[in-house]
Amino acid sequence: NALFFFAHGSFEASERKRSLTNDSFRASLDSQNKVTRMRSKQKQQGLTFISWLVVLIVVGFMVMVGLKITPVYLEHFTIRKSLESLKDEPLLSRKSVSEIRKILFRRLDMNSVYRLTKDEVSIKRSGGVTNITIKYEERRDVVGNLSMVMVFEDSIELISN
């Protein structure tokens, strides 16, 4: 029995020692985890250099596309304004198709729009109604062989008095 107690006692002592070692090991792991979590929080603050680079590339691409599209749309608004101004022209419905075309192209020239051709302007008469349609497309290179195509179509209807 004594031997058993002795053996059992030494077993308990070694278990206590192992338990203390495990507790200290757990405590050191907990402190290491806290440090790691603090470091990971520090690492997770903000964007990395590569993330910033990707964001800047995307923003730069969008700015470049915007710079290429803006003049096309400004020109389109000028064309539409010139077309709409024909409604205010007195006795326009009594003029011939070639005279209407000359008046329109003169207004486009005054507004520095030189890209339209006669094929892109359609003037049709039926009865007392004159339809004037401008239909064109604009292509702009973006990067390399990547291009944008913008298609525009505007029309007005003039009714003779």
Side-chain angles (χ1 to χ4, degrees):
N1 275 345
L3 186 59
F4 175 72
F5 283 115
F6 177 71
H8 184 68
S10 69
F11 179 73
E12 284 179 357
S14 67
E15 278 298 310
R16 254 187 258 131
K17 204 186 254 185
R18 198 175 297 142
S19 150
L20 287 174
T21 307
N22 283 343
D23 288 343
S24 64
F25 180 71
R26 283 189 192 121
S28 71
L29 276 180
D30 286 343
S31 67
Q32 286 176 356
N33 283 342
K34 285 180 186 175
V35 169
T36 304
R37 274 187 257 139
M38 286 174 52
R39 284 185 187 154
S40 68
K41 281 185 182 178
Q42 289 173 351
K43 286 182 182 178
Q44 291 177 4
Q45 288 179 341
L47 296 173
T48 64
F49 176 72
I50 294 173
S51 300
W52 273 111
L53 193 61
V54 169
V55 168
L56 288 176
I57 288 171
V58 169
V59 168
F61 181 76
M62 303 222 12
V63 166
M64 183 183 64
V65 167
L67 288 174
K68 292 194 180 230
I69 286 178
T70 301
V72 174
Y73 276 94
L74 290 175
E75 183 179 64
H76 172 69
F77 293 138
T78 304
I79 291 170
R80 190 167 59 186
K81 187 173 71 172
S82 297
L83 184 63
E84 292 289 329
S85 72
L86 290 178
K87 288 181 180 179
D88 300 331
E89 183 72 27
L91 305 173
L92 188 67
S93 57
R94 294 184 184 166
K95 296 186 180 186
S96 70
V97 170
S98 61
E99 288 176 325
I100 294 173
R101 190 180 306 273
K102 282 180 187 177
I103 291 170
L104 176 62
F105 276 99
R106 200 173 313 129
R107 289 183 186 205
L108 292 171
D109 286 343
M110 284 186 335
N111 288 314
S112 302
V113 176
Y114 306 110
R115 67 152 324 281
L116 285 180
T117 63
K118 291 182 180 186
D119 296 333
E120 294 169 331
V121 177
S122 166
I123 302 173
K124 294 181 182 173
R125 282 215 163 116
S126 61
V129 178
T130 305
N131 287 319
I132 305 171
T133 303
I134 298 176
K135 184 176 182 178
Y136 66 100
E137 69 179 40
E138 182 76 27
R139 292 179 185 269
R140 291 290 168 116
D141 293 331
V142 178
V143 177
N145 62 353
L146 179 66
S147 297
M148 293 181 295
V149 178
M150 293 158 278
V151 178
F152 301 102
E153 182 174 357
D154 293 305
S155 63
I156 61 166
E157 191 174 87
L158 302 173
I159 302 171
S160 62
N161 299 344

